[in-house]
Amino acid sequence: MVERFPYGKAPFWLLTLALISSLLLVATRQRAAVDRPDISLATFAVQHYAAYKRVLPEFERLHHVKVGLQLVDARALQTRLQNAMLAHAAVPDVVEIGDGSIGYFTRGPLKDIGFLDLTDRIQEGGYRDRIVASRFSKWESRGRLFAVPHDVHPVMLVYRADLLEAAGLRAEDLDTWDAFAAAGRRVLKDLDGDGVTDRYMIDLPSGGGFGLTVLLLQRGVGLFSKTGEVTFNEPRTVDTIVWYLHQVRGAARIATECGWGQPLAKAMNDGVALFYIAPDWRTNLFQTDVPGLAGKLKIMPLPAWEKGGRRTSTWGGTGLAITKQSPHPELAWELAKFLYFTPSELSKRFASTGVLPPFRDAWQLPEFQAPSAFYSGQRLGAEFARLAPDTPPVWDSPYSATAESKLGEAYLRAAEHFDSHGDDGLREVIQRELGVAEAYVRRIIERNGLGGPRE
Amino acid sequence: MRLGPIHWLLLGFFGVFAALYARSPKNPRLALRFLRFGVLVGASTAVLAPFVWLVAAAFKDKAYLNEFVFFPPPSAWSSKTVNLDNFRTLFAGDATIQGTVYFWQYVLNSVFLATTTTLVQLVFCSAAGYALAKFEFRGKRALMTFMLVSMMIPGVLLFAPVYELMVTLHLVDTFTGLILPGIVTAYGAFLFRQACLAVPNEMLDAGRIDGCSELRIYFTLVMPLVRPMSAAFCLVTFLGAWNSFFGPSVFLHSQGQLTLPVILNRYIGVYTNQYGVFLAGTLLAIIPPAVLFFALEKEFISGLTSGSVKG
Amino acid sequence: MSARVSTPKQYYRGLAPWLLLAPYIAVTCVFTLYPLANAAVLAFYQTNGPASRAFVGIDNFRFLLSDPVFYRALGNTTVFALCSVFIQLPLSLGLSLLLNSGNDRWKSFFRLVLFSPNLVGQIFVGILFGVLFTPRYGLINRFLQALTGWGLEQQWLGDPALVMPAIVLTALWVYVGFNMIYFLAALQSVDKSLEEAARIDGANRFQVFWNVTLPAMRHVVLFVVITSVIGSFQLFELPLALLPTSNGHGPDNAGLTVVGYLYDVGFNAGDLGLGSAVGWVVALIITVVSVLQLRLAGGGEDE
């Protein structure tokens, strides 16, 4: 029969496949009887998804509703959600949005923001004082709050205690970054004699990346101020970049880039770096990715820039927003409160995700005080809670992506100069590049004629 | 620098070549054939290496992904290092608002989309190509210039207005919405024009004399003659539609409708790195196009060549 | 030349061609012309997605043409296009020559193998190679280290100077087999008697190739070059998949292509107006380049 089909073998088989698949599709479509949920919640993080799946039945029972939980790809969530909101297409009622994205959603005039203004609800519920103050900054635009903060994400260092001890160093001595760098040079080793160093002090990206951002925030330097001004062009940035370049580049470097996922796991197992920058969410990831290192890892606060200075930073964050299009805003707000402000739920979630909530009431609960066998008996909850009030505020802006990109460019130009000329004229180059970066971002901001955030 | 197996291999290769050349320097046919064979083998190895790595990575356990370059040596082969965990995670199913969605649903979506798009394009592009090849009509030159120019417009430019249009037409998150904008492409029309130019006019005239309508001539006389081009076109279009990522990721929302590239991309995120699962899925996603290609290789090659060789 | 039998200059009177072209025209009007017109208007506005818009005149173009990031994208894309034409195509040609001059048993096998990367989608290829380029553990670095004793820690995707080579390498893997097939077909259709004649006249192998074979393949080569260049200018998914953490930009925008820039501006930043302006400029550039190529190749060659 195939030979008699006049148009060729390919179209024949394609036609057959098309017919079969369309029949199957129709059949499965019928089967998926859509049991429409009353309220839908979308998240992008697998850990959150698993945690919510466990606690949602309780909420459903309490309020006699059905909650539809959905796991969506992070990038898609951002663009799809924004497009859908702007085009008034169907969107979930409650959405977990990721780090830095509030700027994305607030780039136009206030009326275009697809999320409910939650400032008053937070105030009236008395939550304003019970949440770590610095976290509101992440989800505010023009003074109004558009998402409830999920976390604090204080940053510490996770390290291979066994290797540190073997190198004859003590964590207590590493209380400033200068002391850390000096100690670092004693740790470098080529283990298999192939000319490639196999042991470094710390895992830092050679291109700046999260390493630079976290360290800058530790010093209180962010990309934008509360009023939307560009703030990264200042002397502390220059100092930090100079210090950073010395650690990640050049023959005397003490840092290497270990990457993410499986390469990172292998690097940790091999002890390629001793120290890893770890906010609370990362400490949990390590437990799943490198189970073989149980009992060999410990945490310590970040070394300070000056003696007695801030010993933590912040990295990442998730917020819960309610879409304006939701037909059940009050129910959505109940869901938000249930997920984010119920101490018992928060403590159970801490036990599984390791993420410290910004809601201080919860920190007293026993789960936060529990010692972790994986981290040699240290009490992670208590440690992170101790540093939490100190975390620096972060203000996001629609131009954050541009600013970050430009800062990255400035860093890379500085790095190129450092690679070829060392310290000679380095500060001037950095200052010049930062100026160029700032001017560029300023120009983009000034262009905005839509009533978006301006200086 | 340590001398490893690669160096010995290269040395051996050049050694054999030198030996062959030395045997008959005036007529180095054997040596040259050996060289040619070696270069082709080298190129093939370079091309196949990522595939082998892919297959190995799909079956390696998550923790051992970077431990071994390809497959673990037989001594380290165990269910701890080589297993089907990645596939198990892939087939586990996702909970969505519409209920649990399993992997085969995504495969089905991909198959449907790809085959339908290809068939629709086949019909309409060949029709357009035939019209451009065998008819002279007013405005043809202008139309062809327009088609040529339209090929140079980056598709991304039109995405946003088309998305808005889809929202107005309520076609977002439907397969119709995905297929409709692409049912005819200028590229396809030109390909078929090339193929149809070779159809002898006498046959068409004979058909007209017999009283056939133009459409019947097209379906019964022309199409069977451009079979090679149809096969080539089908493969290229199927490949494009099967691997299409951008369109489905923007236009499809509900989980149960997503296609393979979109759903597999989900396993690579900033905080979650399930490369093994992604690679296992990629392996499976390569199978249908591979089957199609291997089965239709001859038709495909002859079709591609018949179209492009003609001036 | 095409087999255009004596075409009388009278026009076909019936509706047939228009009926056959109707689907194309309909779809084009709705999904190309209308959005194009939209984009033409939008280019003079600033928008926040489909929601708000503000008229800005030619400010979009003024910004675009003075944006160093755009020029970086343009530069990257041009470099990639040049690499495509001057590295990838000769490789394809070389491989096709090698394949052509052999016996058939292996020919079919090699042809299959060398074409197979084409079966994998760009997004898969990008992520796959992103893993292969991992420093210290990736396949490519390991191979380099084994071969030359250098390169184990080399950051391909983190070093601005190496990002484009990495992209070119990846694209090479995917497309070298594809173009090879076109060249193979062209080689097989070259008139053998011409080659014989040249060889009898005393030309060596290289001269035969350069003076007889290559010119006979002129049409195919031109076709492949033009489609390669147009394709190169549309490069987008590959860098996006190779450099996911920076949304396809790469360090210092080393992986940014013009379409990537458009996507960034239009979708990520949401300014569809600026995106439209970029689209127009890019389309213009591609048109100019293509026309130039056609002229250079000896005038007025129809598709």
Side-chain angles (χ1 to χ4, degrees):
Chain A
M1 184 170 89
V2 185
E3 283 68 44
R4 284 203 287 150
F5 192 71
Y7 305 121
K9 269 203 289 179
F12 175 77
W13 286 115
L14 284 175
L15 193 60
T16 323
L17 275 174
L19 285 172
I20 297 179
S21 57
S22 38
L23 283 173
L24 281 172
L25 263 183
V26 169
T28 55
R29 223 41 97 69
Q30 311 279 34
R31 230 166 27 97
V34 177
D35 195 9
R36 284 229 150 260
D38 299 295
I39 184 169
S40 55
L41 164 66
T43 177
F44 59 88
V46 171
Q47 295 90 343
H48 299 184
Y49 176 80
Y52 291 158
K53 229 167 92 157
R54 262 185 300 241
V55 304
L56 278 175
E58 173 77 16
F59 181 81
E60 292 181 323
R61 199 177 51 81
L62 276 173
H63 293 262
H64 309 292
V65 291
K66 184 154 165 37
V67 182
L69 177 61
Q70 205 180 13
L71 179 64
V72 191
D73 170 43
R75 265 176 294 158
L77 180 66
Q78 199 168 288
T79 29
R80 241 185 262 161
L81 183 62
Q82 176 68 335
N83 283 329
M85 286 198 298
L86 289 171
H88 299 291
V91 290
D93 297 274
V94 185
V95 194
E96 264 199 339
I97 53 182
D99 180 31
S101 59
I102 198 64
Y104 181 81
F105 292 109
T106 59
R107 63 186 175 222
L110 265 173
K111 71 165 175 63
D112 277 352
I113 301 181
F115 299 135
L116 226 52
D117 182 343
L118 300 172
T119 329
D120 299 324
R121 280 173 222 258
I122 289 276
Q123 193 71 35
E124 284 152 24
Y127 296 110
R128 193 99 205 178
D129 305 311
R130 293 149 79 185
I131 293 181
V132 176
S134 66
R135 299 312 282 173
F136 287 114
S137 62
K138 256 191 127 39
W139 311 105
E140 284 177 342
S141 176
R142 286 156 274 193
R144 312 300 297 174
L145 184 72
F146 290 99
V148 184
H150 169 262
D151 40 51
V152 189
H153 291 331
V155 175
M156 300 178 84
L157 287 177
V158 161
Y159 63 97
R160 290 274 312 250
D162 54 337
L163 295 178
L164 191 70
E165 208 181 306
L169 295 168
R170 298 188 317 153
E172 302 81 65
D173 298 332
L174 307 172
D175 56 350
T176 65
W177 280 114
D178 288 328
F180 187 90
R185 291 175 221 289
R186 286 164 47 191
V187 163
L188 301 175
K189 237 187 248 191
D190 176 356
L191 291 173
D192 53 3
D194 62 349
V196 176
T197 314
D198 301 302
R199 185 143 297 154
Y200 289 88
M201 185 64 165
I202 182 170
D203 166 26
L204 286 177
S206 66
F210 71 83
L212 191 62
T213 326
V214 167
L215 293 180
L216 278 174
L217 274 174
Q218 182 188 11
R219 300 184 91 152
V221 179
L223 291 173
F224 290 94
S225 73
K226 183 171 181 145
T227 49
E229 287 179 40
V230 181
T231 53
F232 61 78
N233 184 11
E234 56 142 284
R236 280 179 297 181
T237 314
V238 182
D239 293 337
T240 315
I241 293 185
V242 171
W243 182 89
Y244 195 90
L245 283 173
H246 276 101
Q247 313 316 321
V248 303
R249 297 178 98 103
R253 66 185 205 271
I254 63 161
T256 185
E257 184 165 353
C258 295
W260 293 88
Q262 277 94 355
L264 175 63
K266 178 141 168 61
M268 288 183 83
N269 279 320
D270 292 349
V272 174
L274 260 60
F275 284 85
Y276 301 86
I277 295 192
D280 48 1
W281 50 266
R282 229 180 176 200
T283 60
N284 207 51
L285 276 179
F286 290 158
Q287 291 191 45
T288 30
D289 285 348
V290 286
L293 290 181
K296 295 193 190 156
L297 293 174
K298 286 178 104 164
I299 57 170
M300 64 168 262
L302 294 179
W305 286 98
E306 317 81 30
K307 264 234 185 301
R310 183 190 273 139
R311 294 201 67 170
T312 187
S313 180
T314 182
W315 181 9
T318 310
L320 198 69
I322 301 176
T323 52
K324 267 189 193 149
Q325 285 166 236
S326 167
H328 312 287
E330 291 316 317
L331 183 61
W333 176 238
E334 288 302 314
L335 182 60
K337 283 196 288 182
F338 175 81
L339 290 175
Y340 279 27
F341 297 144
T342 320
S344 52
E345 298 302 330
L346 290 172
S347 65
K348 270 189 264 171
R349 221 165 324 140
F350 177 76
S352 65
T353 64
V355 172
L356 187 78
F359 195 53
R360 274 197 286 266
D361 294 5
W363 297 350
Q364 319 309 327
L365 293 174
E367 282 87 348
F368 291 93
Q369 308 297 323
S372 161
F374 191 84
Y375 287 99
S376 316
Q378 288 178 302
R379 297 167 206 279
L380 290 187
E383 295 287 332
F384 281 115
R386 196 168 49 87
L387 291 172
D390 225 4
T391 49
V394 181
W395 282 283
D396 276 321
S397 143
Y399 317 103
S400 290
T402 312
E404 215 173 297
S405 170
K406 286 302 164 192
L407 180 60
E409 279 179 46
Y411 168 85
L412 280 169
R413 307 274 156 73
E416 275 166 36
H417 183 92
F418 181 75
D419 287 341
S420 44
H421 301 97
D423 279 313
D424 197 20
L426 184 61
R427 292 192 74 90
E428 287 72 34
V429 169
I430 300 179
Q431 275 158 348
R432 185 189 68 216
E433 292 299 333
L434 284 179
V436 167
E438 182 186 9
Y440 186 90
V441 179
R442 275 240 172 90
R443 177 152 183 236
I444 302 260
I445 296 180
E446 269 149 33
R447 278 195 82 231
N448 187 321
L450 282 169
R454 307 188 59 134
E455 316 199 282
Chain B
M1 189 179 78
R2 288 183 288 212
L3 281 178
I6 295 186
H7 301 110
W8 292 120
L9 202 66
L10 282 172
L11 271 168
F13 175 76
F14 281 113
V16 174
F17 174 70
L20 285 172
Y21 194 83
R23 267 203 356 200
S24 55
K26 278 278 185 301
N27 185 10
R29 277 192 81 198
L30 200 58
L32 282 178
R33 270 183 47 193
F34 179 73
L35 185 67
R36 166 184 170 269
F37 193 74
V39 171
L40 282 174
V41 168
S44 300
T45 317
V47 163
L48 284 179
F51 279 118
V52 176
W53 190 88
L54 175 65
V55 175
F59 288 101
K60 272 191 284 197
D61 189 81
K62 196 169 94 146
Y64 293 92
L65 187 62
N66 285 304
E67 201 69 43
F68 312 105
V69 183
F70 292 107
F71 282 101
S75 54
W77 207 287
S78 78
S79 68
K80 222 171 46 129
T81 53
V82 181
N83 53 39
L84 293 174
D85 266 351
N86 291 326
F87 292 97
R88 230 167 283 164
T89 320
L90 201 61
F91 293 130
D94 312 303
T96 68
I97 295 181
Q98 289 99 354
T100 319
V101 183
Y102 292 100
F103 187 70
W104 59 262
Q105 179 74 40
Y106 304 123
V107 177
L108 192 63
N109 292 339
S110 273
V111 169
F112 175 74
L113 259 180
T115 51
T116 330
T117 311
T118 311
L119 284 171
V120 167
Q121 276 202 18
L122 178 67
V123 172
F124 292 127
C125 283
S126 59
Y130 169 59
L132 289 177
K134 289 297 175 187
F135 295 89
E136 283 297 325
F137 50 93
R138 197 160 288 160
K140 177 175 167 181
R141 180 131 268 209
L143 184 63
M144 281 184 63
T145 322
F146 172 77
M147 287 169 88
L148 207 66
V149 171
S150 75
M151 289 206 306
M152 303 187 199
I153 299 175
V156 191
L157 168 65
L158 299 173
F159 249 84
V162 173
Y163 184 81
E164 271 183 72
L165 195 59
M166 288 300 178
V167 172
T168 332
L169 296 172
H170 297 289
L171 284 177
V172 188
D173 205 18
T174 62
F175 285 141
T176 327
L178 255 187
I179 299 177
L180 206 54
I183 61 176
V184 189
T185 61
Y187 177 71
F190 278 125
L191 274 180
F192 276 104
R193 176 174 173 271
Q194 283 301 120
C196 288
L197 281 175
V199 172
N201 284 351
E202 299 77 44
M203 178 157 59
L204 299 177
D205 292 331
R208 282 185 199 125
I209 291 174
D210 276 351
C212 288
S213 72
E214 288 298 333
L215 262 144
R216 234 179 106 206
I217 293 180
Y218 160 67
F219 267 115
T220 56
L221 291 178
V222 180
M223 276 296 275
L225 274 182
V226 294
R227 218 192 308 206
M229 180 52 89
S230 296
F233 180 76
C234 276
L235 183 63
V236 175
T237 316
F238 181 83
L239 266 181
W242 179 262
N243 288 319
S244 158
F245 169 73
F246 200 65
S249 88
V250 173
F251 285 106
L252 295 176
H253 294 181
S254 27
Q255 192 89 344
Q257 302 233 357
L258 294 179
T259 58
L260 277 179
V262 182
I263 209 67
L264 287 177
N265 193 46
R266 204 177 35 131
Y267 289 109
I268 311 287
V270 184
Y271 302 133
T272 73
N273 265 326
Q274 298 175 276
Y275 278 115
V277 184
F278 169 81
L279 293 168
T282 308
L283 193 60
L284 293 177
I286 296 182
I287 294 178
V291 165
L292 199 69
F293 178 66
F294 291 150
L296 303 168
E297 194 205 339
K298 289 228 164 27
E299 288 202 8
F300 166 58
I301 303 284
S302 68
L304 255 191
T305 67
S306 76
S308 64
V309 174
K310 291 245 149 88
Chain C
M1 276 305 283
S2 49
R4 209 154 321 162
V5 191
S6 49
T7 40
K9 253 317 168 185
Q10 73 218 80
Y11 288 130
Y12 186 87
R13 298 251 163 200
L15 275 179
W18 292 106
L19 272 177
L20 288 167
L21 286 165
Y24 175 77
I25 295 177
V27 166
T28 311
C29 281
V30 177
F31 292 109
T32 308
L33 284 181
Y34 171 71
L36 255 180
N38 222 338
V41 172
L42 266 182
F44 298 101
Y45 284 81
Q46 231 181 50
T47 80
N48 180 25
S52 314
R53 56 173 67 172
F55 183 75
V56 290
I58 58 165
D59 189 54
N60 283 338
F61 292 98
R62 211 186 308 150
F63 171 74
L64 179 63
L65 293 172
S66 63
D67 185 8
V69 178
F70 175 68
Y71 287 110
R72 183 71 204 251
L74 201 56
N76 290 340
T77 317
T78 314
V79 167
F80 181 77
L82 288 173
C83 286
S84 284
V85 174
F86 292 110
I87 299 181
Q88 208 189 85
L89 293 189
L91 263 174
S92 297
L93 190 58
L95 280 173
S96 65
L97 281 172
L98 282 177
L99 261 187
N100 198 35
S101 61
N103 61 357
D104 290 284
R105 192 158 43 110
W106 287 111
K107 184 157 142 187
S108 183
F109 170 75
F110 282 121
R111 194 176 55 192
L112 215 69
V113 166
L114 291 172
F115 180 79
S116 51
N118 233 278
L119 299 171
V120 191
Q122 281 211 351
I123 201 89
F124 295 128
V125 173
I127 298 181
L128 178 65
F129 268 76
V131 180
L132 293 180
F133 278 120
T134 314
R136 202 176 269 270
Y137 304 120
L139 190 62
I140 292 175
N141 279 22
R142 273 190 162 141
F143 176 73
L144 271 178
Q145 180 78 10
L147 190 68
T148 61
W150 163 88
L152 192 64
E153 289 192 302
Q154 192 61 40
Q155 286 264 2
W156 283 87
L157 299 175
D159 185 341
L162 290 178
V163 171
M164 192 41 82
I167 296 179
V168 171
L169 196 64
T170 314
L172 205 75
W173 184 76
V174 180
Y175 291 115
V176 96
F178 185 72
N179 289 319
M180 178 190 80
I181 302 237
Y182 276 116
F183 287 138
L184 250 181
L187 276 175
Q188 278 166 345
S189 70
V190 167
D191 203 346
K192 294 283 183 281
S193 57
L194 281 173
E195 290 185 332
E196 279 302 316
R199 214 164 300 162
I200 289 174
D201 279 351
N204 69 24
R205 248 213 201 123
F206 180 71
Q207 286 171 320
V208 172
F209 171 70
W210 192 254
N211 295 316
V212 180
T213 322
L214 204 52
M217 291 172 45
R218 206 176 65 241
H219 297 169
V220 178
V221 172
L222 187 65
F223 174 75
V224 170
V225 168
I226 293 190
T227 46
S228 273
V229 171
I230 294 185
S232 306
F233 269 90
Q234 313 246 8
L235 183 70
F236 171 55
E237 270 180 36
L238 200 59
L240 192 67
L242 269 174
L243 305 157
T245 47
S246 50
N247 253 335
H249 281 234
D252 203 11
N253 292 319
L256 191 64
T257 59
V258 282
V259 179
Y261 181 82
L262 202 170
Y263 176 74
D264 209 35
V265 159
F267 280 87
N268 283 341
D271 191 349
L272 296 173
L274 186 55
S276 304
V278 176
W280 281 109
V281 174
V282 171
L284 191 68
I285 294 178
I286 298 180
T287 316
V288 168
V289 168
S290 302
V291 168
L292 271 175
Q293 280 180 304
L294 283 170
R295 285 288 161 79
L296 275 174
E301 200 67 68
D302 206 20
E303 263 289 299

